Amino acid sequence: MYTRRTHRRTRTAAIVMAAALLATACSSGGAMSASPAADAGGPTEAPPLAALPQATPPALASYYGQKLNWRDCGVPGFQCATMKAPLDYAKPAGGDIRLAVARKKATGPGERLGSLLVNPGGPGGSAIDYLQSYAGIAYPEEVRARYDLVAVDPRGVARSEPVECLDGREMDAYTQTDVTPDDERETGELVDAYKKFAEGCGSDAPTLLRHVSTVEAARDMDVLRSVLGDEKLNYVGASYGTFLGATYAGLFPRRAGRLVLDGAMDPSLPALRLNLEQTAGFETAFQSFAKDCVRQSGCPLGGPGASPDQVGKNLKAFFEKLDAEPAPTSDAAGRRLTESLATTGVIAAMYDEAAWPQLREALASAMKANNGAGLLALADSYYEREPDGDYSNLMFANAAVNCLDLPPAFSSPDGVRAVLPDFEKASPVFGEGLAWSSLNCAYWPVEPKGEPHRIEAAGASPIVVVGTTRDPATPYRWAQALAGQLSSGRLLTYDGDGHTAFGRGSSCIDSTINAYLLRGTAPKDGKRCS
C-alpha cells in the first residue's frame, strides 16, 4: 500500500503497504459489508497495544546512557552521529544495530524547548534526508528557533543498515512487471517477480529482516530521547510516521510529549482492509483531479463537462492500450512506458495537487504524441530511481517493515481474484492493479510479528491527529479512527486535497500546529481548517 509524503521541496517518499508496484483505500458504503474484504477483521476485533514498564530494564541501561559523538554532516548547519540499539530487544546481549542520527540545533531566540524528532513516513523514507532537505530549513522559523530538529533513519532504512534486495537493472524489470495479469502466464510472471524480490531481501539480510518492525523502531526512538537528554519525546510524523509516532505513545504514554500525527493511519485494520480502503482513497483523489482536469485547456482525458467517471474510463482505456503496446520514452536504459509504470506515475501525482499540471502535460504527451517520458519521470520519482539507474532502498525497506508488521493481505492469487470486485468497485481506474500489488507479502521470507491493534496511550498528553478530507494515501477515516482510539487524541481536519496538511499552504493548519508545538496549546477536538 502506498502512503507517500511528497513535498515540492523534497523527494522523500512515504509509502504504506505494498512495496510492490502499487497501493490501496476506503469506501464507506454499506454495499461493501457483505464482501470477503469487508469481513477481514476490523477495529472492534483489535486488542489494545500494551504499554511497556516505566522503568528502563537493566539490560538496556548502556544503550539509554550512551553518549553520541556529533560530527559535521557535510551539509552546512547539520550535525550527524551514530547511535547503538539492540538488534533484538528481547535479547539485548545478542548484538547491536547502528542507527544514523542527524540534528540541526535550535537557532534562537527564545527558550529552548528540547528536541523535536521528525519522520516523513514510508516505511522506508529517510528521516535524515527529510530533515536536511526540508524540515531543517523550511519548518516555521519559530519552531526551528526553539527546538533542536532531530532525525533518525529507522532500522533498515537509508543510512541505518539498509535492507537491499535487487540491483538497479533488476528493479527496472520489477517495476515494469504487469500488475493486471490477463491469464495464468502473466499471473505466474507476477508471482515470480514477488518471489525474486523477497528472495533478494532475504539473502541480503536474513537476520535484520526479523528486526525492522515498527515496535522496534519506536523503542529505538525512546533510546534516542534518553540519549538527547529529553524527559519527553516531541515528534512530528507524517503518513506512516503517524503509525510510528502513535506506536511510541502506546508503548511509552508517560514519555509522549507534543506529538503531531499528520496523515494518520489506523493501526486497528488488517492489511487487506488497509489496502482496500487506500484504493478508495486514491479514487477520491482522482475524482478531484478529474474535475480539475476538464476545466483546464488541453485536458487529454476529456473536454469541458466530462464527468469524472468518463475521465476515469478514458484513463483506464489508455492503461489498457499501454498493456498491449508500451510507449517509447527515449530512456537511456531502453525502458518503455508500461501500464504499471504509467499507473505509478499517475498515482505519484495524486499526493499533491500542485503536481496536477505536470500530470496533465505528461498524459497529453503520452496519449497524443506517444511519448511516455513524462509519466516515466513521475514513476521514477516515486520509486526514487536516480538518472544512473540506481534506486534508493525505499521500496526494500517498505516491504521489509510492512511484511513484518502485519500478516499478508493475501496468501495466493486465488485470494486476490476473490476480492477483485471489491477493489474495482472502490476504484474502477486503479482497483485491479492495487489488488494484485497487495499480494507481495505472501512470499516474504520471514514470518510477520505484528497483528492489528488499537492504540489508546492512556495517560499521554494531548496528541494532535491531522486528517485531510481528500487524502489519497491515508484516507480521512483513518485519522478519525486513530484520534478516536487515542485517549488524548485531538482531531484536526483539513478540508482539502493532497496527502498530509502541515506546511502545505493552510495558515489555519500551520498556526494551530505551531501553537501546539511552541506553547503546548492543543486544538479543540474536531477543529476544521480549509
Side-chain angles (χ1 to χ4, degrees), residues 44 71 97 109 124 158 162 222-223 254-255 308 310 344 354 430 442 484 503 511 523:
T44 58
R71 62 190 184 278
I97 187 169
D222 196 55
V223 173
R254 303 289 180 182
R255 297 177 191 162
Q310 185 58 54
T344 300
F430 305 120
S511 62

Side-chain angles (χ1 to χ4, degrees), residues 232-481:
K232 293 192 173 186
L233 180 84
N234 301 309
Y235 176 85
V236 176
S239 199
Y240 162 82
T242 66
F243 180 37
L244 180 58
T247 299
Y248 179 89
L251 296 174
F252 306 102
R254 303 289 180 182
R255 297 177 191 162
R258 299 172 186 176
L259 270 59
V260 177
L261 308 179
D262 184 13
M265 290 183 61
D266 180 357
S268 72
L269 298 179
L272 178 52
R273 285 291 296 274
L274 282 168
N275 286 347
L276 182 61
E277 292 194 5
Q278 198 190 56
T279 296
F282 278 108
E283 181 66 21
T284 297
F286 176 75
Q287 294 265 326
S288 288
F289 164 75
K291 292 174 184 176
D292 178 78
C293 187
V294 299
R295 290 196 294 263
Q296 312 298 326
S297 61
C299 175
L301 296 171
S307 70
D309 288 345
Q310 185 58 54
V311 170
K313 290 177 182 178
N314 293 341
L315 180 60
K316 184 69 173 176
F318 170 62
F319 287 159
E320 291 171 352
K321 179 180 178 182
L322 291 175
D323 189 30
E325 182 62 36
T329 65
S330 302
D331 176 63
R335 293 177 300 157
R336 296 171 70 84
L337 181 71
T338 62
E339 178 189 18
S340 57
L341 285 170
T343 306
T344 300
V346 173
I347 281 180
M350 292 299 100
Y351 286 86
D352 186 348
E353 64 272 26
W356 291 356
Q358 181 184 358
L359 176 59
R360 286 198 308 273
E361 183 178 340
L363 283 168
S365 182
M367 297 175 73
K368 297 179 179 180
N370 198 34
N371 182 352
L375 284 172
L376 181 63
L378 282 167
D380 284 351
S381 72
Y382 190 89
Y383 287 124
E384 294 194 354
R385 183 189 190 274
E386 299 297 329
D388 63 3
D390 286 341
Y391 288 75
S392 78
N393 95 309
L394 170 68
M395 303 306 291
F396 312 141
N398 179 264
V401 176
N402 285 322
C403 296
L404 195 61
D405 273 352
L406 286 175
F410 302 111
S411 60
S412 70
D414 285 343
V416 180
R417 294 186 186 102
V419 297
L420 267 177
D422 297 298
F423 277 83
E424 292 176 320
K425 182 176 182 179
S427 176
V429 179
F430 305 120
E432 182 184 6
L434 299 184
W436 283 104
S437 293
S438 305
L439 182 63
N440 67 313
C441 286
Y443 309 102
W444 202 243
V446 300
E447 292 295 316
K449 282 185 174 182
E451 294 284 351
H453 54 269
R454 301 190 317 278
I455 298 180
E456 298 173 353
S461 301
I463 296 172
V464 176
V465 179
V466 188
T468 298
T469 55
R470 295 182 294 279
D471 191 314
T474 51
Y476 178 62
R477 194 206 67 75
W478 292 358
Q480 293 174 303

Side-chain angles (χ1 to χ4, degrees), residues 77 86 155 165 197 202 212 291 295 434 441 452 485:
R155 48 180 62 206
C165 303
F197 185 97
V212 293
K291 292 174 184 176
R295 290 196 294 263
L434 299 184
C441 286
Q485 292 168 37

Side-chain angles (χ1 to χ4, degrees), residues 259-261 461-467 479 482-484 486-493 516 520-527:
L259 270 59
V260 177
L261 308 179
S461 301
I463 296 172
V464 176
V465 179
V466 188
L482 180 59
L486 291 167
S487 61
S488 60
R490 304 286 181 88
L491 178 63
L492 174 62
T493 297
Y516 173 66
T521 306
K524 181 180 178 181
D525 188 36
K527 179 173 180 176

Side-chain angles (χ1 to χ4, degrees), residues 499-513:
H499 183 40
T500 74
F502 185 40
R504 297 191 68 249
S506 169
S507 59
C508 173
I509 290 289
D510 292 354
S511 62
T512 301
I513 292 176

